[in-house]
């Protein structure tokens, strides 16, 4: 038996991000409102039941891989999934086509990881929504991975493992600008911890306001801008280009500007030199689209 399935792995934007505490192990408690957007990677999973047990992984383009294949989150997701669900026969082949930049705060690696889990759940007929083991696998691979199992617009809390859907919709377009420099989440959180703690309440204010653009913000932004001053300049440029609001995406280095109309977003998008920046003009993506798995063969 040969089964091939595909799905999209969408990027995310933290519309709000508040650090509300630190665990003893150094992990940070967060409150955040996250939205999947149309910038995406593509993931294919193939299963050949007659073959000896094996997991293979490939990515295009190769320039996106900066580690051994078996250290990639997609490979680890497949390996962990098989361990938990007792899959020990057949060949699994994961193919990943990348477009989401790395070290950008857009959750590309976590989204790819969740896509693998959704694909394998579909192949082996495991209910992603009702089987608690699926969420457990996702949470063991990264704090953003549970969010990406369904995507859409959701409130995140804890260290990222607690997610709840929001009924509102974002009526706007996202212009994402990333300089060539990248930052790891660890770098940004370490810088944040070095600084005097400043409490932010972007998430609660956004909920109170019905997700008004003016309430969006990122408690990690100051730390990110210190480490990568170009991000601060990009934010200024997006606001000057007409963005209703702009903020650092997650731990950076992407910066998001939100515009109320496509025309305004497109005009701003073309102001940035594609030779110096990664640029993307995106729309919001909601649950039904974000969790779709399709048969290829």
């Amino acid at each position: 038996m040969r089964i091939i399935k595909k799905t999209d792995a969408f990027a995310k934007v933290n519309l709000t991000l508040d650090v509300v505490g630190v665990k003893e192990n150094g992990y940070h408690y967060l409150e955040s409102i996250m939205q999947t957007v149309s910038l995406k990677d593509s993931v294919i999973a193939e299963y050949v039941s007659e073959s000896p047990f094996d997991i293979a992984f490939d990515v295009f383009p190769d320039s996106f891989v900066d580690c051994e294949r078996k250290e990639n989150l997609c490979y680890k997701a497949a390996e962990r999934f098989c361990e938990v669900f007792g899959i020990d026969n057949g060949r699994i082949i994961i193919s990943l086509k990348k477009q989401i930049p790395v070290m950008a705060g857009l959750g590309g690696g976590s989204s790819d990881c969740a896509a693998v889990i959704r694909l394998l759940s579909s192949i082996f007929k495991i209910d992603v929504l009702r089987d608690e083991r699926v969420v457990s696998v996702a949470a063991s691979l990264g704090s953003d991975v549970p969010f990406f199992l369904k995507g859409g617009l959701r409130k995140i809390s804890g260290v990222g493992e607690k997610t709840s859907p929001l009924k509102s919709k974002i009526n706007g377009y996202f212009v994402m600008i990333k300089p060539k420099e990248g930052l790891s989440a660890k770098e940004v959180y370490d810088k944040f911890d070095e600084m005097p703690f400043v409490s932010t309440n972007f998430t609660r204010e956004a909920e109170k306001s019905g997700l008004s653009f003016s309430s969006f913000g990122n408690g990690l932004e100051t730390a990110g801008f210190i480490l990568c001053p170009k991000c601060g300049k990009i934010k200024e440029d997006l606001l000057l280009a007409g963005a209703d609001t702009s903020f650092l995406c997650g731990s950076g280095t992407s910066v998001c500007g939100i515009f109320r109309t496509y025309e305004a977003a497109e005009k701003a998008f073309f102001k940035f030199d594609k030779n110096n920046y990664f640029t993307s003009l995106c729309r919001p993506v909601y649950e039904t689209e974000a969790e779709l798995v399709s048969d290829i063969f």
Side-chain angles (χ1 to χ4, degrees):
M1 179 179 66
R2 183 180 182 217
I3 302 172
I4 308 176
K5 292 179 179 282
K6 66 177 180 178
T7 193
D8 292 320
F10 293 100
K12 58 85 175 170
V13 173
N14 294 80
L15 301 174
T16 68
L17 196 159
D18 301 292
V19 180
V20 297
V22 183
K23 295 181 71 173
E24 289 182 2
N25 62 6
Y27 281 88
H28 294 75
Y29 290 111
L30 306 175
E31 286 188 350
S32 180
I33 295 172
M34 287 166 55
Q35 170 77 64
T36 37
V37 297
S38 54
L39 172 63
K40 65 184 181 182
D41 296 337
S42 299
V43 188
I44 296 174
E46 179 178 355
Y47 176 63
V48 184
S49 60
E50 293 82 5
S51 299
F53 180 71
D54 181 43
I55 299 172
F57 169 71
D58 197 17
V59 60
F60 176 84
D62 282 338
S63 58
F64 276 89
V65 178
D66 59 357
C67 62
E68 293 294 324
R69 291 295 199 272
K70 290 188 177 182
E71 294 302 311
N72 187 280
L73 268 180
C74 286
Y75 184 94
K76 288 185 175 182
E79 187 177 51
R80 179 72 178 140
F81 186 95
C82 291
E83 288 174 0
V84 169
F85 289 99
I87 297 162
D88 57 6
N89 69 289
R91 179 174 171 81
I92 294 169
I93 305 164
I94 306 296
S95 300
L96 169 63
K97 184 177 180 181
K98 288 290 296 177
Q99 293 189 66
I100 303 171
V102 298
M103 301 183 78
L106 299 176
S110 295
S111 187
D112 298 339
C113 184
V116 170
I117 294 170
R118 292 200 313 274
L119 288 167
L120 294 181
S121 295
S122 179
I123 287 171
F124 294 104
K125 302 187 184 310
I126 295 162
D127 193 327
V128 171
L129 303 182
R130 292 181 175 84
D131 196 317
E132 292 183 0
R133 292 173 296 174
V134 175
V135 178
S136 176
V137 169
S140 72
L141 292 160
S143 59
D144 285 344
V145 181
F147 162 79
F148 282 113
L149 287 178
K150 293 195 71 177
L153 180 65
R154 306 180 76 85
K155 181 179 178 180
I156 312 301
S157 56
V159 294
E161 82 286 4
K162 300 175 184 176
T163 76
S164 56
L166 298 176
K167 294 181 180 179
S168 302
K169 290 200 172 184
I170 305 301
N171 295 314
Y173 296 86
F174 303 84
V175 175
M176 323 288 270
I177 308 294
K178 180 192 178 299
K180 292 180 179 179
E181 294 85 350
L183 292 172
S184 70
K186 184 179 186 307
E187 287 178 277
V188 178
Y189 278 102
D190 284 350
K191 175 57 70 174
F192 176 88
D193 289 339
E194 290 173 8
M195 301 164 60
F197 180 78
V198 177
S199 178
T200 59
N201 293 290
F202 294 118
T203 303
R204 294 176 188 180
E205 290 301 317
E207 288 181 296
K208 287 180 185 177
S209 70
L211 304 187
S212 69
F213 291 176
S214 61
S215 65
F216 296 162
N218 184 344
L220 293 175
E221 190 171 270
T222 300
F225 286 1
I226 289 171
L227 291 170
C228 185
K230 283 186 181 179
C231 292
K233 179 62 166 59
I234 292 170
K235 176 176 178 174
E236 290 177 9
D237 290 343
L238 282 165
L239 292 171
L240 286 171
D244 289 89
T245 189
S246 181
F247 45 82
L248 187 71
C249 297
S251 56
T253 53
S254 295
V255 180
C256 174
I258 304 182
F259 298 78
R260 295 191 184 276
T261 68
Y262 180 84
E263 292 74 19
E266 185 180 45
K267 185 177 179 180
F269 172 77
F270 284 113
K271 288 181 180 291
F272 290 86
D273 183 354
K274 310 305 181 288
N275 294 317
N276 294 320
Y277 302 103
F278 168 86
T279 61
S280 181
L281 172 51
C282 310
R283 59 174 175 81
V285 168
Y286 292 95
E287 282 185 14
T288 303
E289 184 177 359
E291 62 187 357
L292 181 65
V293 172
S294 303
D295 292 313
I296 295 180
F297 177 77

